Amino acid sequence: MFDYSIFEKELNTLKESGLFVNIRTLESAQGAWLKINGKDVLNLCSNNYLGLANNERLKKAAKKAIDDWGVGPGAVRTIAGTMKLHEELEKKLAEFKKVEAVLSLQSGFNANQAVIPSITSSEDAILSDELNHASIIDGVRLSKAKRYVWKHRDVEDLEQKLQQADADGARYKLIITDGVFSMDGDLAPLPEIVEVAERYNAMVMVDDAHGEGVLGSHGRGIVDHFNLHGRVDIEIGTISKAFGVIGGYVAGKKELIEYLKQKARPFLFSSSLSPADVAASIEAVKILEESDELVKKLWDNAKYFKDALKKLGFDTGHSETPITPVMLYDAKVASDFSKKLFEEGIFAQSIGYPTVPKGKARIRVMISAVHTKEDLDFAIEKFAKVGKELKVI
Ligand SMILES: *Cc1c(COP(=O)(O)O)cnc(C)c1O
């Protein structure tokens, strides 16, 4: 018999250091309020920025797709064929993102695994921001290319690494960055990155998971926000956050997408999204194209909450987006803060190492477009109460 006590030991170590993640069971759909342990709590955790995860139009589209197309795709698209629905989503997303072509995948995580190893080999160089998302890091691990990690948002350091890659004889260079960094809410300095990439003839790839539906006109993302259309080679997107469904995609030139359909392993060896997912995603893009009302409401709500917390004396870091980190630094304090908030009717998880660096624990507040002003006032009042109790303000 295999000795499972090694897992038990590691789990106990996590519990002792306050880093064991207690996963809450939800008894209701995603939304501004949730039911947990039979109790209604205000939800400040999800990436459901625009409230689309439980939107009536998306649900209707998903139900119709089940009637028309069934529940499963049958196999991978290269073998079982591709449904017209998937192609319709890809066309819609390409128009929305103002790119030539899009390839949909099962998740944003998979989209990074699809692109990075299939377009780089041992002769190439990958240059990655040190705080890039785990799915980028894992994608890079799957590639045989030489790695260069540059200091967070430091374009001078990136330029030095580009020179180093040239000196090392790289065939070509791929720069990868998150668009919005998910734990701090700061933006990649994309215009400067593009400028240095053009000078060094490097490709630029940006993971727009937290920019989608949030930044740019109608939530078109970070490339639109900085007006860099046509100057960023590869965009990674997720349908699992602001779009409210599940899935990921790669956006870029036609040649890139054609190439990925032949080479990318998550495309070749894993089945595609279900018809219901795809139809709901198409509906999400339609809603964003029709109106920017939800995106505007999201930003208004986030500004209202952030301003109030700053006024109370909380340290909310240097976020440039609706992501609001409430910095508590100590993992134990953050975990106590979260527990007390829960007692007060607020679901806001504490986040510690390894999701954020050691000594940088926080409550990451995610405000959405479906929170009302009363919801936000309720949250502000409770943060003030718990903050005073724990003497952090
Ligand atoms: C959330 C996230 C992903 C993963 O997206 P999923 O669709 O949930 O797999 C990828 N990259 C970044 C930067 C993210 O924040």
Side-chain angles (χ1 to χ4, degrees):
M1 260 297 269
F2 182 78
D3 180 10
Y4 281 88
S5 67
I6 54 165
F7 297 135
E8 218 181 301
K9 223 175 119 204
E10 178 59 23
L11 286 170
N12 286 336
T13 310
L14 287 175
K15 281 176 190 159
E16 281 154 22
S17 54
L19 292 171
F20 183 85
V21 182
N22 178 19
I23 303 174
R24 299 278 189 189
T25 304
L26 311 184
E27 293 146 14
S28 63
Q30 279 293 344
W33 288 80
L34 301 170
K35 203 176 263 309
I36 299 176
N37 300 343
K39 181 174 146 180
D40 289 325
V41 288
L42 183 71
N43 180 13
L44 296 182
C45 288
S46 90
N47 295 325
N48 178 26
Y49 285 105
L50 304 176
L52 296 179
N54 194 28
N55 176 282
E56 289 306 322
R57 277 179 62 179
L58 269 67
K59 291 201 290 194
K60 197 164 158 234
K63 286 176 192 164
K64 181 165 189 314
I66 291 173
D67 287 340
D68 294 348
W69 297 92
V71 290
V76 299
R77 290 162 73 182
T78 46
I79 293 173
T82 184
M83 288 175 175
K84 264 165 75 180
L85 209 54
H86 292 74
E87 290 182 345
E88 192 186 325
L89 171 64
E90 288 163 348
K91 191 161 163 282
K92 263 243 98 25
L93 279 170
E95 280 164 15
F96 181 69
K97 299 289 284 184
K98 301 187 179 174
V99 295
E100 283 182 11
V102 158
L103 181 68
S104 68
L105 290 141
Q106 306 83 354
S107 69
F109 195 101
N110 269 9
N112 278 316
Q113 318 301 298
V115 177
I116 302 168
S118 53
I119 64 165
T120 53
S121 75
S122 56
E123 298 161 82
D124 304 316
I126 296 176
L127 302 100
S128 180
D129 183 292
E130 66 182 342
L131 292 191
N132 275 345
H133 189 259
S135 59
I136 296 176
I137 295 171
D138 285 11
V140 173
R141 283 179 181 155
L142 288 171
S143 165
K144 293 194 172 70
K146 192 154 187 219
R147 293 146 209 195
Y148 302 82
V149 176
W150 91 84
K151 286 194 201 111
H152 181 49
R153 299 177 78 239
D154 184 340
V155 181
E156 264 176 44
D157 192 41
L158 168 61
E159 181 162 6
Q160 276 178 18
K161 299 284 174 352
L162 284 163
Q163 288 169 358
Q164 186 61 49
D166 277 340
D168 294 343
R171 182 183 64 165
Y172 75 71
K173 303 176 286 291
L174 172 66
I175 299 171
I176 312 177
T177 184
D178 272 23
V180 177
F181 290 85
S182 57
M183 290 300 137
D184 294 291
D186 50 346
L187 296 187
L190 205 54
E192 292 80 12
I193 291 174
V194 165
E195 189 272 325
V196 78
E198 285 169 353
R199 275 196 285 120
Y200 285 83
N201 194 25
M203 281 181 103
V204 176
M205 168 169 159
V206 62
D207 182 337
D208 207 15
H210 282 275
E212 224 83 69
V214 176
L215 293 172
S217 154
H218 291 240
R220 287 191 163 78
I222 193 166
V223 170
D224 191 82
H225 171 80
F226 284 122
N227 197 18
L228 292 168
H229 293 291
R231 293 174 71 194
V232 171
D233 298 280
I234 305 168
E235 288 177 72
I236 298 295
T238 177
I239 310 174
S240 331
K241 289 178 178 148
F243 287 113
V245 195
I246 181 85
Y249 63 90
V250 186
K253 291 261 190 248
K254 278 200 184 83
E255 294 85 343
L256 170 78
I257 301 305
E258 281 306 303
Y259 179 85
L260 291 174
K261 284 183 182 171
Q262 303 300 317
K263 300 277 186 182
R265 294 168 73 85
F267 181 77
L268 295 175
F269 298 106
S270 183
S271 297
S272 56
L273 292 167
S274 80
D277 295 326
V278 177
S281 305
I282 293 170
E283 201 60 28
V285 181
K286 281 187 189 158
I287 288 174
L288 280 172
E289 269 174 347
E290 282 165 22
S291 162
D292 62 357
E293 194 187 323
L294 286 173
V295 180
K296 288 212 166 112
K297 181 85 191 301
L298 167 69
W299 282 88
D300 284 350
N301 277 353
K303 186 176 180 316
Y304 183 80
F305 183 79
K306 246 191 231 176
D307 287 351
L309 252 68
K310 269 186 204 149
K311 220 183 253 167
L312 285 169
F314 281 103
D315 174 357
T316 57
H318 42 264
S319 170
E320 300 166 74
T321 62
I323 294 170
T324 308
V326 178
M327 299 303 299
L328 298 161
Y329 301 98
D330 184 85
K332 182 82 178 49
V333 174
S335 147
D336 288 349
F337 204 108
S338 171
K339 273 187 207 129
K340 281 189 179 282
L341 282 175
F342 194 79
E343 285 160 19
E344 298 289 340
I346 292 188
F347 180 39
Q349 288 281 64
S350 60
I351 296 179
Y353 181 80
T355 309
V356 294
K358 280 186 181 144
K360 293 268 178 80
R362 67 199 65 186
I363 306 269
R364 184 186 61 158
V365 177
M366 301 299 273
I367 298 294
S368 86
V370 287
H371 285 113
T372 63
K373 184 148 175 300
E374 290 70 41
D375 294 340
L376 299 177
D377 286 337
F378 174 75
I380 292 158
E381 182 200 320
K382 299 302 183 190
F383 266 82
K385 182 168 182 229
V386 175
K388 280 176 195 142
E389 270 173 36
L390 291 177
K391 299 194 169 46
V392 296
I393 52 168

